[in-house]
Amino acid sequence: MKSVSFVLLIMMGVVGVSTSALAAFDRSLEPVIVVGSQLPAFLGKSTDGVRVYAYSGGVWQPMPFQIDDFKAKEGELDEKEIDWEGHETLLSLDEVVFMAK
């Protein structure tokens, strides 16, 4: 079977943060969290094939990232909790997390 990779290209517009807003303060250790529901093209796809790249200095560079598995909290509306059992596909409550710089 052919292996397929899915590439998530991170640009400021994707996460709703403007470049001027980032220039106002230096938070290089600030995590950026993109919720699975913000990535409809990736929902249901294997997380093994996800890659994150940033465009810097005219070059696309791979970025370290993690995908946190979440599930709806039992008996609670609009609440979620870590899915300790995990799953292999990106779901709407999951989070793709990477550092701002």
Side-chain angles (χ1 to χ4, degrees), residues 24-58:
F25 52 89
D26 180 23
R27 292 189 172 176
S28 59
L29 299 178
E30 192 77 22
V32 176
I33 300 171
V34 181
V35 181
S37 61
Q38 294 174 296
L39 305 167
F42 291 87
L43 293 178
K45 307 285 188 198
S46 171
T47 55
D48 287 339
V50 175
R51 304 289 180 266
V52 177
Y53 288 85
Y55 190 75
S56 177

